[in-house]
Amino acid sequence: MTSADATSSETAITDFQNFNGYGDRGEAVMKYFKSSFWKLDDRMKSEQSKDDSVTLWGYASYMEACGEWFALRPDDETVREEYVKVLENVEHYRTQWRTDGLQVYQCVPVSSKAECFYDDDVWVVLEFIHAYTLLGDQKWLDNAKGTIEFCYSGWDDKQGGGVYWKEDDIGTDKACKNTCINAPLALASAELYKLTQEQKYLDWAVKLYDWTKKTLMDPQSKVMWDHIMVDSGSINKNRFTYNTGNMIASAAMLYDITGKADYLTDAKTMAEAAYNFFGGEITRDDPAQSYYATGENNPWFQSSLLKGYIKLYASDPSEPKYVKSFLTALAHACSVNKDFRGFLDSEWKKRTEVGVITNPDLLNQSGNARVLLMLQNWKNAHGDGTAQ
């Protein structure tokens, strides 16, 4: 699927084909957060106003970006210290009012009762798992195993199964079951099985994956719908990159674990569907400056799609075009859409306003940094992505 040439208003890309500064750009964003924008200790006081706090969703996105930063700089003690500090400070979000013994993180860091979203907690679980693989400290694996039990507690048999989007003890908000919890929970379960060989995690991974595919995959486009309403069975057919990305990653992991070809077929089918549904190729007179343009303006969502593509490449390196589509999309974005601080807008295709990006938010800028750092880590491991 090829679109018309890029508009003349876009800045020419210099040496596009050899753009290699993904990690440098990602580090610039991370360092800006650390030194100026991200006032970690000030924003994490447990008694602060709910209206002034960083949400767990945004905080988890920063945890993820720090993990990729440390993966790129494992010998940098300053980066290690920042990563460990961020991991430890998620405890500000841990609930203090529960009586069920579950390890749960709520949406804002206050000591009083606040909402608990299963999908917020699964992002924390995934980064605890990542931290264990990077740092080797048993406590991060134990934390992942503790918090995933809360996520599992959101499963019931209504609509054939599935985990709810959020917990609500009076029942008014337990209304829907979403891809954004069930797909990454399948992935986290598969990753825990691979680390522990505990059968229950594989059982959960298969159950979650099967339900999500059966219930929330669009049979025509092969990308994922958003959620199903539990009472009516009606489906919200919005489609977002992170939902399909986490399903690709889950399928690739299940293929690695079980060797069942159907999972690899699923992953490849969804990857091609996402490639075509969420973006398109922009051609130029100079083929070396052609690039792939993504179609969703949420860098954090996009980071999960890239994670899915990277997991698929690890399972089948014969087709690197999916990861490489992000290489060109971000090379283009870094060429035409950055401000003087190194921030990229959430819109990667072109800059819509002249000047700085006003009020950059933690979620999207952590997503930008995470993507850039993931790409550099992938390039360091695989070079140009030529099939092995």
Side-chain angles (χ1 to χ4, degrees), residues 202 206 253-261 263:
L202 179 55
V206 171
M253 284 290 295
L254 285 169
Y255 169 71
D256 288 344
I257 291 167
T258 68
K260 293 181 179 179
Y263 289 124

Side-chain angles (χ1 to χ4, degrees), residues 85-282:
K85 178 182 180 181
V86 169
L87 290 165
E88 290 176 343
N89 275 334
V90 78
E91 292 303 308
H92 286 284
Y93 293 85
R94 190 160 174 176
T95 58
Q96 302 174 37
W97 44 267
R98 302 185 73 93
T99 59
D100 55 14
L102 291 173
Q103 181 173 338
V104 184
Y105 300 90
Q106 61 189 28
C107 64
V108 287
V110 294
S111 60
S112 57
K113 187 173 184 179
E115 292 179 310
C116 300
F117 290 76
Y118 295 111
D119 69 318
D120 285 358
D121 275 51
V122 82
W123 311 128
V124 175
V125 169
L126 283 164
E127 196 52 42
F128 281 155
I129 293 169
H130 192 206
Y132 175 69
T133 65
L134 292 172
L135 298 166
D137 191 329
Q138 181 67 32
K139 73 178 179 180
W140 304 123
L141 182 60
D142 292 342
N143 280 347
K145 293 170 72 173
T147 305
I148 207 168
E149 293 300 326
F150 165 66
C151 297
Y152 292 154
S153 75
W155 175 285
D156 69 20
D157 293 331
K158 294 180 180 179
Q159 295 300 334
V163 173
Y164 289 92
W165 176 47
K166 63 183 289 191
E167 179 187 53
D168 185 85
D169 59 351
I170 61 173
T172 57
D173 283 326
K174 263 192 166 179
C176 58
K177 295 182 175 182
N178 297 43
T179 304
C180 70
I181 170 58
N182 287 279
L185 187 54
L187 173 61
S189 300
E191 291 190 349
L192 279 176
Y193 174 76
K194 200 160 187 180
L195 288 171
T196 68
Q197 296 298 298
E198 293 182 36
Q199 185 63 38
K200 75 170 186 177
Y201 294 123
L202 179 55
D203 292 343
W204 270 110
V206 171
K207 180 166 70 169
L208 287 155
Y209 179 84
D210 287 349
W211 178 86
T212 310
K213 177 185 174 183
K214 177 182 177 181
T215 308
L216 290 169
M217 178 183 282
D218 177 359
Q220 277 73 50
S221 70
K222 302 300 182 182
V223 298
M224 302 306 299
W225 289 322
D226 192 63
H227 66 259
I228 184 170
M229 299 301 296
V230 171
D231 288 343
S232 67
S234 65
I235 292 177
N236 180 303
K237 295 186 178 182
N238 286 331
R239 287 163 283 197
F240 300 106
T241 48
Y242 74 141
N243 286 333
T244 301
N246 280 301
M247 280 295 281
I248 294 168
S250 299
M253 284 290 295
L254 285 169
Y255 169 71
D256 288 344
I257 291 167
T258 68
K260 293 181 179 179
D262 286 351
Y263 289 124
L264 181 59
T265 299
D266 281 356
K268 294 169 75 170
T269 297
M270 288 186 286
E272 183 66 12
Y275 181 88
N276 289 297
F277 186 87
F278 292 112
E281 297 166 5
I282 306 296

Side-chain angles (χ1 to χ4, degrees), residues 20 23 71-73 373-384:
N20 289 306
L72 185 65
R73 298 283 183 260
L373 294 164
M374 288 169 74
L375 288 171
Q376 192 65 59
N377 283 322
W378 186 83
K379 280 179 65 70
N380 288 351
H382 303 291
D384 64 0

Side-chain angles (χ1 to χ4, degrees), residues 9 78 302:
S9 64
T78 300
Q302 299 272 32

Side-chain angles (χ1 to χ4, degrees), residues 294-305:
T294 57
E296 184 172 72
N297 300 333
N298 186 312
W300 183 80
F301 281 10
Q302 299 272 32
S303 70
S304 284
L305 181 57

